[in-house]
Amino acid sequence: MPQNVSPEVQPPTGPTGEIFRYTLRSSFRDARELKTIQDWVVDRQIRAVPGVADLVSFGGMTKTYEIKVDPGKIANLGISALDVFSAVQKSNINIGGDVIVKNNQAYVVRGVGLLNDINEIRNIIVQNISGAPILVKNVAEVSISNLPRLGLVSRSDAFLDSAGKRQVSNEADMVEGIVVMRKGENPTKVIEGLKAKIEKLNSSVLPADTKIVPFYDRDDLIHFATHTVLHNMIEGIIFVTIIVSLFMFNWRTTLIVSIVIPLSLLFAFICLRLMGMSANLLSLGAIDFGIIIDGAVVMVEGIFVILDTKALEIGMERFNRIAKMGMIKKHGGELGKAIFFAKLIIIAALLPIFAFEKVEGKMFSPLAYTLGFALLGALITTLTLVPVLIHLLLNKNVHEKHNPIVNFLVKTMTKGFSFTYRNMFLSEMVAFLIIAIGLFSFRFLGSEFLPELDEGSIWLRVQLPYSISLDKSVEVAKQVNASLMQFPQVKNIISQTGRPDDGTDVAGFYNNEFDIMLYPEDDWKPHISKDQLVDEMNHRLSIIPGAQLNFSQPITDNIEEAVSGVKGSICVKIFGDSLEYMENKSTQVYEILKTVKGVEDLGVIKNIGQPEMDIDLDQQKMALYGVATADANAVIEMAIGGKAASTLYENIRKFDIRLRFPEQYRNTEEDIGNLMVPTQSGSKVPVKEIANISTKTGPCLIFRDDNERYSAVKFSVRGRDMGSAIAEAQEKVEKAVSLKKGYNMIWQGDFENQQRATKRLAQVVPISLLLIFLLLFIMFGNLKDAGLVFINVPFAIVGGIGALFVTGTNFSISAGIGFIALFGICILFGVLLITVFKENLEKLKGRKNILYRAIRQGVESRVRPVMMTAFMAAIGLLPAAVSHGIGSESSRPLARVVIGGILCAMVFSLLIFPLIFARAYRKFDAKYGDMMIEKEGTN
């Protein structure tokens, strides 16, 4: 390797890579034949699909040729199992003998000695005793068998019979394939190629009786989530357009503003494409088209009012003849400055999102890019295309019609302003009291990392005692399966017992996993929530003795395990050296967590619990008998577990030839003690003469994190917010559990993600606010005006907090992003108002009651743009705020925060902000006017 280059190896897949599951179904083939087809036909074809990283085969029986050596027969003949093993190895060999030249041609010399079929295995010569050959078939039974089973898969499907009654079909001992996608690939394209390959396999490659039957398809989740998001987007666009139409009451202005929406989205998608990025469901679902077009609204509304005033001043006939580009350019330039800085401030408010790490960074950075590019596209369109369209469409007959909606709102807000102005001190005190109460109440909000995406399915893990056998575990799995299929909401289930044969999972027979596919919630009868369904399932399955239950979802389960290394949403890890000590402490934590409300799926992830039969070889006795350790261990391995001696090829397929003792000779300690081991002198000695055979309970798994051993307690939180549940749990555990020196305890999982993201928000949000203040200072050129505009932020925050309380929504990172977006949005109101207030002050210099008149006229003129902007932002996100479809969970808190914050900021901006401005400029009348400020009623 070149200097300063450090290679780094990473897996080609991620925790969200499982995109497709299927089973093989045949009318007559057994699990061994299906497993052979899976491994040698289907596997190779599917791995060739672009974007597929791996195919994990689960269930079925891996074919082998097994030589069951009879211990009695080989003992009578004076040979050992190792002699049989060696004979098989030596009888299945090809060699190369270089080349020979014959008639000027080079012939490659090959010695061909491979076994071709099971009969040739039977006829292998083991030894020659007194001239009589001893064949394998003389001392063993040769048959087609399978490797020791590590797992088993079954499938259940619900259907309606001819009478319309629900029935269930059960298929035991299936072969399952799990397709895993490469990192960074587009799942839609990969699944498209995968389905085409499966169609080809089913139609022209596989035997006519064998078919690939899909079970889990990520494309279904993508379809449902995309449908929800696109539905919300379309509704948002329609609602925003309606709001613009109602406020402007002019089809031409509505058309100009509406054109900005598709152009800004197109600009965002082009930018994302150039960066090699794609918009995810959260970024599309959280786009507020009201925020995107607010600049265009301000521009169009401002120039429309100017043109209408000009038409009234000079008459419509003359107005239609005069050139208007000068007016548009002049006033467009003035409005453009405020719009430019307002958009820049909103974009700057998104900067903290780019500082997120890990899970939250991957989820929310596309949101920041998409919204940022859309805002930039809207800004460019507003400053370039919109003035041109105004010139083209508003060139003639510009007349503002009587608008009862706007008139009512202007009248109402003006009266409200007059009331607050007359009662200035009281109004300000009430406002600041609301801010104080709102900010203080934030501490009483529930908290979580992210709302859980509904995947339309349930992933259930049932963990049994480590010592359980495969047969008993499968029996429990059948019991669970039958119980779950009684729920009418369940469509089909795949149950997985144990682990795959390829060693990609460390789980043993104790591990049962159920992929439970559900019907769409709209079709559920009775209609209950998914949480209620999980609670009912949990209650029904809690009667299984010794079972630990964990309810999750397929993608969520993989992410949780990748985050903490534990099969659970949240875990408490105790690190140290002694497995017994750590498990004792974990049990104490378990007992404490049982008392915490909201803690569910509680269980101890144990290290110890696997029964062992140890064959401890005695070196002194082995030396006495002349037995080599390698020979003794080889006999033990081969006789009990089986050992591959060679390989038999069937065309391109190959299968192990394994030696093993029949089951009746290896079931008990006594049987194992009677196994004969060859000595160096050629005699045989039983294992019991050279070893001590005993049983004990030892470690099943030894978990490590950062090269340290740990024991863990896993749990989930349901029916309560995660933040308060964890806080209570930590407080109780810290009081009751103490660890000795050299041991430590940490909390991981979703809680860890929440803490990390919250900490990062606390670090970067102040920087973002400082940047926004700096932009305001650059815009206004003084600290006073910048500070006045900044006062809008607390009221927007209080509105967002109130929205969370009213809707019963927990504070999550999604809600935090909503608050970040509010920082930029609410600034626009202050910019619009303070700009018109100062313009009016300049116009009214030298007159009476300058300050009051300037503020009142400013409020009257800005009611429509401020309220229209606020209602557009709120209505644009309303579909996302109330949606409960698949894919809406992550954007819902963000939408609710923005709606509550923007409406609260709107009211504050029109009723309270002018009072604060009046106090800040209270000396203006004395300096430039004829009289001091007078209260309402002075004209």
Side-chain angles (χ1 to χ4, degrees), residues 2 13 116 146 197 323 344 431 459 537 574 731 759 844 861:
T13 64
N116 295 304
N146 54 271
K197 180 66 72 174
L344 201 61
W459 185 265
M537 288 180 173
I574 298 176
E731 182 181 359
K759 181 179 178 182
L844 296 173
S861 65

Side-chain angles (χ1 to χ4, degrees), residues 858-910:
V859 170
E860 289 177 351
S861 65
R862 286 294 182 256
V863 165
R864 180 163 65 179
V866 168
M867 296 192 74
M868 183 162 50
T869 301
F871 282 127
M872 284 193 310
I875 295 295
L877 281 177
L878 184 61
V882 300
S883 175
H884 285 82
I886 291 177
S888 65
E889 296 83 4
S890 296
S891 58
R892 195 184 304 136
L894 184 153
R896 290 173 175 176
V897 166
V898 171
I899 290 174
I902 204 74
L903 294 179
C904 186
M906 174 193 75
V907 175
F908 168 77
S909 298
L910 294 174

Side-chain angles (χ1 to χ4, degrees), residues 712-779:
V713 181
K714 61 90 181 177
F715 63 96
S716 305
V717 176
R718 290 198 297 272
R720 182 181 179 182
D721 71 284
M722 183 177 65
S724 64
I726 297 295
E728 180 184 343
Q730 286 182 322
E731 182 181 359
K732 289 184 174 181
V733 169
E734 288 174 4
K735 287 181 179 179
V737 180
S738 59
L739 301 175
K740 63 185 181 182
K741 188 175 182 181
Y743 293 81
N744 66 293
M745 180 190 304
I746 64 171
W747 299 66
Q748 288 186 335
D750 280 350
F751 170 73
E752 182 186 26
N753 293 333
Q754 181 199 21
Q755 294 294 303
R756 181 185 61 250
T758 303
K759 181 179 178 182
R760 182 52 60 98
L761 278 176
Q763 293 172 341
V764 297
V765 166
I767 298 174
S768 175
L769 292 175
L770 183 63
L771 180 60
I772 292 173
F773 186 81
L774 180 62
L775 290 172
L776 290 172
F777 175 74
I778 294 173
M779 178 182 179

Side-chain angles (χ1 to χ4, degrees), residues 161-231:
D161 60 16
S162 57
K165 189 176 180 180
R166 176 184 169 94
Q167 302 290 340
V168 175
S169 65
N170 296 304
E171 298 174 275
D173 209 355
M174 303 289 293
V175 175
E176 178 190 13
I178 305 170
V179 183
V180 186
M181 179 185 68
R182 290 186 181 275
K183 286 181 180 178
E185 294 286 345
N186 185 333
T188 302
K189 291 184 178 180
V190 177
I191 292 174
E192 182 181 344
L194 183 62
K195 288 181 177 178
K197 180 66 72 174
I198 290 174
E199 177 64 27
K200 178 184 176 183
L201 285 167
N202 281 338
S203 60
S204 59
V205 178
L206 295 177
D209 61 275
T210 304
K211 300 297 179 185
I212 295 174
V213 183
F215 177 82
Y216 170 79
D217 186 348
R218 177 73 62 80
D219 212 27
D220 294 337
L221 174 61
I222 294 173
H223 169 74
F224 284 124
T226 304
H227 173 76
T228 299
V229 171
L230 291 179
H231 181 266

Side-chain angles (χ1 to χ4, degrees), residues 250-312:
N250 186 290
W251 71 267
R252 291 177 291 178
T253 56
T254 303
L255 178 63
I256 295 171
V257 172
S258 300
I259 286 175
V260 177
I261 295 177
L263 293 178
S264 59
L265 277 180
L266 178 62
F267 181 85
F269 292 151
I270 292 173
C271 291
L272 290 172
R273 180 75 175 180
L274 293 175
M275 293 185 64
M277 298 177 61
S278 60
N280 61 18
L281 296 175
L282 177 61
S283 60
L284 292 177
I287 288 182
D288 188 343
F289 297 102
I291 299 171
I292 290 175
I293 65 171
D294 57 7
V297 166
V298 172
M299 177 72 76
V300 172
E301 193 272 346
I303 297 179
F304 180 81
V305 170
I306 296 296
L307 294 177
D308 175 63
T309 303
K310 189 68 175 179
L312 292 174

Side-chain angles (χ1 to χ4, degrees), residues 60 120 148 153 183 226 251 263 319 335 343 466 496 499 518 541 547 564 574 618 641 656 754 771 826 834 892 906 919:
E120 292 188 4
V153 173
K183 286 181 180 178
T226 304
W251 71 267
L263 293 178
F319 173 81
L335 293 170
K343 291 290 186 185
Y466 284 159
Q496 302 173 171
R499 65 171 180 257
L518 305 174
L541 299 177
S564 64
I574 298 176
D618 189 319
D656 286 345
Q754 181 199 21
L771 180 60
C826 67
I834 205 168
R892 195 184 304 136
M906 174 193 75
R919 286 197 180 276

